[in-house]
Amino acid sequence: MSLVLDPAAQDLLFREARTANTFTDEPVSEEQVRAIYDLVKYGPTAFNQTPLRITLVRSPEARERLLPHMAEGNRPKTATAPLVAILAADNEFHEELPALFPAFPAAKDAFFAERPVRERSAAMNAALQAAYFIVGVRAAGLAAGPMTGFDFEGVRKEFLDDDHTPLMIVNIGKPGPDASYPRSPRLAYEDVVTTV
């Protein structure tokens, strides 16, 4: 059985997609980011919660505020990427549930009244949305460089608030020269899937 998705699209989204470490200076427009979001917002989450929040770092001043919080090896690529996105989980996502999950508006209080429960759910579902976001960046013909090598608390204090937890930082743009490392191995199906 083959996949329904066109092989060229499979390559674009997965097989040929690589983490970019260098970028050209071609800008990433607001229109492109809106198109990415308008596609990936349809990705499924539990209770249709949408805890992912995206902070776009566009100005030179904001970039200068971000760079000291990046791990040393991540600073050069973050300094030169056309666009940088801080992806975070909104721990107060439940406030939107009555509108987002009209089939069961009481889910807000029935399941998410306690902050620790919200934080766990926000982290899991925002991470799922972050994966959709990366695939959306690829669908736009751009490269993504997702990173977790940064000072999470420093980024939270500099760009977010106590209700938002940083998940990752993603450099976005057209890949530059020698943008990717050689492809690393992947686990085989038999190493991952168990049938019971």
Side-chain angles (χ1 to χ4, degrees):
M1 178 179 170
S2 62
L3 300 173
V4 174
L5 188 66
D6 178 77
Q10 294 174 37
D11 288 344
L12 176 70
L13 299 178
F14 296 100
R15 285 189 287 264
E16 299 299 324
R18 308 295 295 279
T19 295
N21 295 293
T22 67
F23 298 90
T24 68
D25 59 2
E26 183 178 330
V28 176
S29 70
E30 180 71 15
E31 180 183 32
Q32 287 172 299
V33 178
R34 283 182 181 272
I36 291 165
Y37 178 74
D38 284 342
L39 174 66
V40 304
K41 69 183 179 184
Y42 294 109
T45 57
F47 294 98
N48 197 37
Q49 59 185 274
T50 56
L52 181 69
R53 299 296 178 264
I54 304 166
T55 301
L56 298 177
V57 180
R58 286 199 182 275
S59 72
E61 296 80 16
R63 187 83 55 119
E64 288 304 314
R65 289 170 39 215
L66 177 61
L67 289 177
H69 300 291
M70 301 304 298
E72 188 174 332
N74 289 333
R75 283 185 199 141
K77 52 192 170 187
T78 302
T80 58
L83 181 63
V84 180
I86 300 169
L87 305 188
D90 180 358
N91 296 308
E92 298 299 312
F93 70 88
H94 69 308
E95 296 295 342
E96 306 289 340
L97 280 182
L100 293 175
F101 198 61
F104 184 33
K108 172 188 177 225
D109 297 315
F111 295 108
F112 302 108
E114 296 181 18
R115 176 71 178 236
V117 173
R118 288 198 306 274
E119 288 178 353
R120 285 191 300 274
S121 190
M124 181 184 71
N125 285 281
L128 183 59
Q129 288 187 285
Y132 297 142
F133 180 79
I134 292 167
V135 173
V137 167
R138 294 171 176 174
L142 301 168
M147 302 168 292
T148 56
F150 62 92
D151 175 0
F152 281 68
E153 186 59 18
V155 166
R156 188 192 63 74
K157 286 181 179 177
E158 189 71 38
F159 292 94
L160 306 169
D161 60 32
D162 289 339
D163 289 331
H164 294 80
T165 304
L167 299 173
M168 67 182 70
I169 294 175
V170 183
N171 293 328
I172 303 168
K174 292 282 187 182
D178 302 316
S180 301
Y181 301 122
R183 172 77 72 192
S184 295
R186 297 298 193 265
L187 292 174
Y189 179 88
E190 294 76 14
D191 297 326
V192 175
V193 178
T194 302
T195 302
V196 294

